């Protein structure tokens, strides 16, 4: 039986990528680096800031790299005062409550960003536990954050599903043994399936999602076909 749903935050609950993209564009322009959406999706989206900065701005010292990342995230928060969750999110939370499912938030977002978004969206109380990459031995695509979430919820991987929008997040959840649904808010659904999602949907209003969830709530997850 389905016991829990594990949610990513950026790009899954709320489509923050356009704002992150804008913030990265502005900050990298100071170094004469122009980026487009292809660059953003391949080099930035879903990765941890230390990895991104080391990759794109290898000349920065560790102290300067941290300051750059902090300044970029401060700009993101400045640009994002009016965030709204993806369509169908509140209905999904209500459904999990009606079915007495546990909920976890598993995110690579820096702590200040996560707290900011949860506050703006008014959803901090929606989760039984919150797992940040900062609190784990490694962030996504390592499975550690999802393994920590499973442990905190006291469940096994086969009792949960994860909702993720990025290839790195899907790799993390699948690596932890969790069946994962791709949210195609930021990446091509075909890519999400290729890296391990068993279906990819545009948002939480998807009939495919609700058909699947209702089936999962009534039987063992191991018996669910990926043919939905």
């Amino acid at each position: 039986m389905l016991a829990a749903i594990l949610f990513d935050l950026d790009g899954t609950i709320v489509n923050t990528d356009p704002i992150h993209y804008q913030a990265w564009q502005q900050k990298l322009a100071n170094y004469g680096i122009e980026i487009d959406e292809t660059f953003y999706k391949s080099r930035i989206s879903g990765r941890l800031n230390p990895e991104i900065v080391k990759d794109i701005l290898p000349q920065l010292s560790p102290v300067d790299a941290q300051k750059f990342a902090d300044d970029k995230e401060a700009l993101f928060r400045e640009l994002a005062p009016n965030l709204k969750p993806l369509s169908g999110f509140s209905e999904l939370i209500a459904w999990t409550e009606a079915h007495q499912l546990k909920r976890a938030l598993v995110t690579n977002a820096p702590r200040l960003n996560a707290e900011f978004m949860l506050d703006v969206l008014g959803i901090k109380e929606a989760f039984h536990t919150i797992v940040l990459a900062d609190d784990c031995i490694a962030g996504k695509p390592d499975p550690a954050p999802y393994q920590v979430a499973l442990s905190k919820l006291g469940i096994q991987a086969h009792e949960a599903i994860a909702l993720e929008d990025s290839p790195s997040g899907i790799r993390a959840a699948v690596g932890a043994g969790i069946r994962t649904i791709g949210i195609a808010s930021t990446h091509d659904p075909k890519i999400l399936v290729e890296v391990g999602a068993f279906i990819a949907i545009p948002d939480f209003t998807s009939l495919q999602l609700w058909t699947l969830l209702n089936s999962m709530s009534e039987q063992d997850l191991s018996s669910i076909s990926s043919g939905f």
Side-chain angles (χ1 to χ4, degrees), residues 102-155:
K102 297 178 179 180
R103 298 175 298 277
L105 184 72
V106 185
T107 177
N108 267 359
R111 187 179 304 277
L112 289 177
N113 278 16
E115 292 174 351
F116 167 81
M117 287 185 277
L118 291 173
D119 183 55
V120 169
L121 295 169
I123 59 172
K124 186 174 182 179
E125 303 305 318
F127 303 101
H128 297 92
T129 191
I130 295 173
V131 178
L132 305 178
D134 292 349
D135 300 328
C136 303
I137 59 172
K140 305 170 189 176
D142 193 283
Y146 277 102
Q147 292 167 340
V148 169
L150 293 173
S151 177
K152 285 188 172 184
L153 293 177
I155 62 172

Side-chain angles (χ1 to χ4, degrees), residues 26-164:
Q26 291 186 29
K27 288 301 180 182
L28 289 173
N30 295 332
Y31 290 84
I33 299 173
E34 296 184 4
I35 67 171
D36 58 16
E37 290 188 13
T38 299
F39 183 102
Y40 176 80
K41 288 182 179 180
S42 64
R43 301 277 292 278
I44 295 176
S45 180
R47 301 178 71 192
L48 292 168
N49 279 345
E51 299 171 357
I52 298 168
V53 178
K54 186 176 181 180
D55 175 27
I56 301 173
L57 298 170
Q59 72 273 26
L60 296 186
S61 69
V63 172
D64 288 341
Q66 184 61 56
K67 183 179 186 306
F68 177 91
D70 290 346
D71 289 347
K72 179 266 158 182
E73 298 308 342
L75 177 58
F76 163 78
R77 294 190 294 273
E78 181 182 327
L79 296 171
N82 300 307
L83 296 175
K84 301 294 182 183
L86 260 63
S87 297
F89 176 73
S90 60
E91 289 81 1
L92 178 55
I93 294 298
W95 184 89
T96 62
E97 291 174 346
H99 287 79
Q100 299 183 321
L101 301 187
K102 297 178 179 180
R103 298 175 298 277
L105 184 72
V106 185
T107 177
N108 267 359
R111 187 179 304 277
L112 289 177
N113 278 16
E115 292 174 351
F116 167 81
M117 287 185 277
L118 291 173
D119 183 55
V120 169
L121 295 169
I123 59 172
K124 186 174 182 179
E125 303 305 318
F127 303 101
H128 297 92
T129 191
I130 295 173
V131 178
L132 305 178
D134 292 349
D135 300 328
C136 303
I137 59 172
K140 305 170 189 176
D142 193 283
Y146 277 102
Q147 292 167 340
V148 169
L150 293 173
S151 177
K152 285 188 172 184
L153 293 177
I155 62 172
Q156 300 297 311
H158 68 84
E159 298 177 287
I161 60 169
L163 297 166
E164 275 281 0

